[in-house]
Amino acid sequence: MQAKLSTMFQSLQVRNYRLFASGQLIKLIGVWMMFIAQDWLVLELSNNSATALGVVTACQFTPVLLLTLLSGRLADRYDKRVLLFVANAFWSVLALGMAVLVLTDLVQLWHVFAFAALLGTANAVETPVRQAFVSELVGTSLLPNALSLNAAVFNSARIVGPAVAGLAIAAFDVGPVFLFTALSSIAPLVNVVRMRTADLQRDALLPRDERASARVVDGLRYVWRRPDLLMPMAMMSVIGMSLFNFQLTLAALAKTVFHTGAASFGLFSTALAVGALGGALSGTGRRSRPSVWLVLGAAIACASFGTLVGFASTYWLVVALLVPTGFCMVFFAQAANQRIQMGVDAAFRGRVMALWVLVFLGTNPVGAPLIGWIAERYGAGASIWMGGLLSLATALVALTWQLRHSGARLRFRVLPMPRFYVTSTDC
């Protein structure tokens, strides 16, 4: 067990990564608390409007859609450590300003929309830079482990943050939650400054003159010529838009279908995050690039469980189904992320990961208002199962294409345990 745990957390032996991960954990706990408080505040200010939730989500992710590819170019041209500091500093100032508005009771709905848009701008710069920076912290050999631990940190925060936020909102209202978010965002700033630049692994970067001419369009052409990168991104663009909207749909489900309070809404998010943490930790032992079949199988499982959540008719059944749904969501996203990062040339990593962030998060401005409208017109449950069925259809189409493209065959075996398998292992 000790050897297993040592392998699972191997990247934490690297000092720079340890500083990076701890700073992210503290900040993300505050971020997830803020997300719960923000959604609850929007529902209070808009008289329980699911459409307003969709709009604030769109405001938050529209900058990702518009700016992420440019951020990827910045990541390939400039010092990622400096870019992370600047983006996080901007985020801290925004969070503090929003906390002041809420605590002084001056906040209005348009303030929340504006805050979400500015926050999205900071995230549009920070996220692709952070994704590409991991390889400089640990190198190629530990990259799969570090990426899995990143997901574990994210989902640990998603467990702690909503649970604490639900209780804090019930006890103190939303103002103190926003203040805690502002204070917690200082941690990554301090830890980025404490990193040793001499320990960063930057050998595979382009020469300085070539970095200066790095273009966004070159990164797009690079991905277009790589079907092994293009397919997981195409799947994520649809699944991310139609199913990965639980921040919006679970709030509407809790308040409008089951008529519960903030603490119960927090339990939905926590159940999803418990499964997600398991999905993240399950990939920490991976040392090689995930196969395309693993990514496809995870996408099908993710879509199937997401559909079941939408059809669930009782509160506790939703809670139970959210655990395997969270597991499959993160397992799929992490396997796809690792397949992309471990298959890309280092010189293009910033731009390719910016495109990944774009399809992962940037589709939300398109999907969130539509999902919110469906939730308001047909019910929150319908908005979830419709997205699940669309995601399932996408994954099955991708599986069919891959089988035909590779010449492989899908088989079903009954003994010793029922399971599907592929007769070809070329991909």
PDB file of all heavy atoms in Angstrom, residues 307-319:
ATOM      1  N   THR A 307     -27.268  10.642 -18.852  1.00  0.00           N
ATOM      2  CA  THR A 307     -28.665  10.481 -19.282  1.00  0.00           C
ATOM      3  C   THR A 307     -29.522   9.950 -18.148  1.00  0.00           C
ATOM      4  O   THR A 307     -30.651  10.414 -17.926  1.00  0.00           O
ATOM      5  CB  THR A 307     -28.737   9.529 -20.490  1.00  0.00           C
ATOM      6  OG1 THR A 307     -27.914  10.038 -21.540  1.00  0.00           O
ATOM      7  CG2 THR A 307     -30.163   9.400 -20.994  1.00  0.00           C
ATOM      8  N   LEU A 308     -29.002   8.971 -17.397  1.00  0.00           N
ATOM      9  CA  LEU A 308     -29.756   8.394 -16.279  1.00  0.00           C
ATOM     10  C   LEU A 308     -30.041   9.436 -15.196  1.00  0.00           C
ATOM     11  O   LEU A 308     -31.110   9.416 -14.578  1.00  0.00           O
ATOM     12  CB  LEU A 308     -28.986   7.210 -15.686  1.00  0.00           C
ATOM     13  CG  LEU A 308     -28.871   5.964 -16.579  1.00  0.00           C
ATOM     14  CD1 LEU A 308     -28.002   4.904 -15.900  1.00  0.00           C
ATOM     15  CD2 LEU A 308     -30.258   5.399 -16.885  1.00  0.00           C
ATOM     16  N   VAL A 309     -29.093  10.343 -14.958  1.00  0.00           N
ATOM     17  CA  VAL A 309     -29.326  11.415 -13.970  1.00  0.00           C
ATOM     18  C   VAL A 309     -30.536  12.251 -14.368  1.00  0.00           C
ATOM     19  O   VAL A 309     -31.385  12.602 -13.538  1.00  0.00           O
ATOM     20  CB  VAL A 309     -28.067  12.309 -13.836  1.00  0.00           C
ATOM     21  CG1 VAL A 309     -28.388  13.573 -13.021  1.00  0.00           C
ATOM     22  CG2 VAL A 309     -26.937  11.546 -13.183  1.00  0.00           C
ATOM     23  N   GLY A 310     -30.657  12.555 -15.663  1.00  0.00           N
ATOM     24  CA  GLY A 310     -31.789  13.350 -16.127  1.00  0.00           C
ATOM     25  C   GLY A 310     -33.120  12.656 -15.955  1.00  0.00           C
ATOM     26  O   GLY A 310     -34.144  13.303 -15.728  1.00  0.00           O
ATOM     27  N   PHE A 311     -33.119  11.335 -16.061  1.00  0.00           N
ATOM     28  CA  PHE A 311     -34.371  10.581 -15.929  1.00  0.00           C
ATOM     29  C   PHE A 311     -34.715  10.235 -14.483  1.00  0.00           C
ATOM     30  O   PHE A 311     -35.830   9.781 -14.208  1.00  0.00           O
ATOM     31  CB  PHE A 311     -34.293   9.281 -16.736  1.00  0.00           C
ATOM     32  CG  PHE A 311     -34.472   9.479 -18.215  1.00  0.00           C
ATOM     33  CD1 PHE A 311     -33.480   9.097 -19.112  1.00  0.00           C
ATOM     34  CD2 PHE A 311     -35.641  10.050 -18.721  1.00  0.00           C
ATOM     35  CE1 PHE A 311     -33.644   9.283 -20.479  1.00  0.00           C
ATOM     36  CE2 PHE A 311     -35.806  10.239 -20.082  1.00  0.00           C
ATOM     37  CZ  PHE A 311     -34.816   9.853 -20.965  1.00  0.00           C
ATOM     38  N   ALA A 312     -33.767  10.409 -13.546  1.00  0.00           N
ATOM     39  CA  ALA A 312     -34.004  10.046 -12.143  1.00  0.00           C
ATOM     40  C   ALA A 312     -35.149  10.872 -11.557  1.00  0.00           C
ATOM     41  O   ALA A 312     -35.219  12.085 -11.764  1.00  0.00           O
ATOM     42  CB  ALA A 312     -32.735  10.245 -11.330  1.00  0.00           C
ATOM     43  N   SER A 313     -36.020  10.202 -10.794  1.00  0.00           N
ATOM     44  CA  SER A 313     -37.246  10.859 -10.328  1.00  0.00           C
ATOM     45  C   SER A 313     -37.213  11.235  -8.854  1.00  0.00           C
ATOM     46  O   SER A 313     -38.117  11.922  -8.376  1.00  0.00           O
ATOM     47  CB  SER A 313     -38.451   9.942 -10.584  1.00  0.00           C
ATOM     48  OG  SER A 313     -38.264   8.684  -9.945  1.00  0.00           O
ATOM     49  N   THR A 314     -36.209  10.778  -8.106  1.00  0.00           N
ATOM     50  CA  THR A 314     -36.149  11.098  -6.679  1.00  0.00           C
ATOM     51  C   THR A 314     -34.818  11.763  -6.347  1.00  0.00           C
ATOM     52  O   THR A 314     -33.803  11.558  -7.031  1.00  0.00           O
ATOM     53  CB  THR A 314     -36.306   9.835  -5.814  1.00  0.00           C
ATOM     54  OG1 THR A 314     -35.202   8.950  -6.053  1.00  0.00           O
ATOM     55  CG2 THR A 314     -37.610   9.113  -6.141  1.00  0.00           C
ATOM     56  N   TYR A 315     -34.818  12.529  -5.284  1.00  0.00           N
ATOM     57  CA  TYR A 315     -33.633  13.286  -4.870  1.00  0.00           C
ATOM     58  C   TYR A 315     -32.458  12.363  -4.593  1.00  0.00           C
ATOM     59  O   TYR A 315     -31.347  12.592  -5.099  1.00  0.00           O
ATOM     60  CB  TYR A 315     -33.980  14.106  -3.622  1.00  0.00           C
ATOM     61  CG  TYR A 315     -32.812  14.865  -3.034  1.00  0.00           C
ATOM     62  CD1 TYR A 315     -32.458  16.118  -3.516  1.00  0.00           C
ATOM     63  CD2 TYR A 315     -32.048  14.314  -1.990  1.00  0.00           C
ATOM     64  CE1 TYR A 315     -31.379  16.815  -2.987  1.00  0.00           C
ATOM     65  CE2 TYR A 315     -30.976  14.996  -1.460  1.00  0.00           C
ATOM     66  CZ  TYR A 315     -30.643  16.247  -1.957  1.00  0.00           C
ATOM     67  OH  TYR A 315     -29.576  16.919  -1.427  1.00  0.00           O
ATOM     68  N   TRP A 316     -32.648  11.322  -3.803  1.00  0.00           N
ATOM     69  CA  TRP A 316     -31.539  10.460  -3.417  1.00  0.00           C
ATOM     70  C   TRP A 316     -31.050   9.600  -4.571  1.00  0.00           C
ATOM     71  O   TRP A 316     -29.878   9.211  -4.611  1.00  0.00           O
ATOM     72  CB  TRP A 316     -31.928   9.607  -2.205  1.00  0.00           C
ATOM     73  CG  TRP A 316     -32.023  10.439  -0.975  1.00  0.00           C
ATOM     74  CD1 TRP A 316     -33.149  10.811  -0.300  1.00  0.00           C
ATOM     75  CD2 TRP A 316     -30.925  11.065  -0.291  1.00  0.00           C
ATOM     76  NE1 TRP A 316     -32.832  11.620   0.766  1.00  0.00           N
ATOM     77  CE2 TRP A 316     -31.484  11.790   0.797  1.00  0.00           C
ATOM     78  CE3 TRP A 316     -29.547  11.083  -0.478  1.00  0.00           C
ATOM     79  CZ2 TRP A 316     -30.685  12.519   1.682  1.00  0.00           C
ATOM     80  CZ3 TRP A 316     -28.766  11.800   0.404  1.00  0.00           C
ATOM     81  CH2 TRP A 316     -29.336  12.509   1.468  1.00  0.00           C
ATOM     82  N   LEU A 317     -31.928   9.283  -5.538  1.00  0.00           N
ATOM     83  CA  LEU A 317     -31.474   8.563  -6.724  1.00  0.00           C
ATOM     84  C   LEU A 317     -30.545   9.442  -7.553  1.00  0.00           C
ATOM     85  O   LEU A 317     -29.541   8.963  -8.107  1.00  0.00           O
ATOM     86  CB  LEU A 317     -32.673   8.117  -7.561  1.00  0.00           C
ATOM     87  CG  LEU A 317     -32.365   7.297  -8.822  1.00  0.00           C
ATOM     88  CD1 LEU A 317     -31.561   6.047  -8.465  1.00  0.00           C
ATOM     89  CD2 LEU A 317     -33.640   6.930  -9.563  1.00  0.00           C
ATOM     90  N   VAL A 318     -30.863  10.743  -7.640  1.00  0.00           N
ATOM     91  CA  VAL A 318     -29.973  11.676  -8.327  1.00  0.00           C
ATOM     92  C   VAL A 318     -28.613  11.714  -7.643  1.00  0.00           C
ATOM     93  O   VAL A 318     -27.563  11.644  -8.295  1.00  0.00           O
ATOM     94  CB  VAL A 318     -30.593  13.090  -8.381  1.00  0.00           C
ATOM     95  CG1 VAL A 318     -29.577  14.096  -8.914  1.00  0.00           C
ATOM     96  CG2 VAL A 318     -31.833  13.098  -9.242  1.00  0.00           C
ATOM     97  N   VAL A 319     -28.610  11.809  -6.307  1.00  0.00           N
ATOM     98  CA  VAL A 319     -27.348  11.840  -5.556  1.00  0.00           C
ATOM     99  C   VAL A 319     -26.529  10.583  -5.838  1.00  0.00           C
ATOM    100  O   VAL A 319     -25.318  10.643  -6.078  1.00  0.00           O
ATOM    101  CB  VAL A 319     -27.625  11.973  -4.044  1.00  0.00           C
ATOM    102  CG1 VAL A 319     -26.332  11.802  -3.237  1.00  0.00           C
ATOM    103  CG2 VAL A 319     -28.252  13.328  -3.730  1.00  0.00           C
TER     104      VAL A 319
END
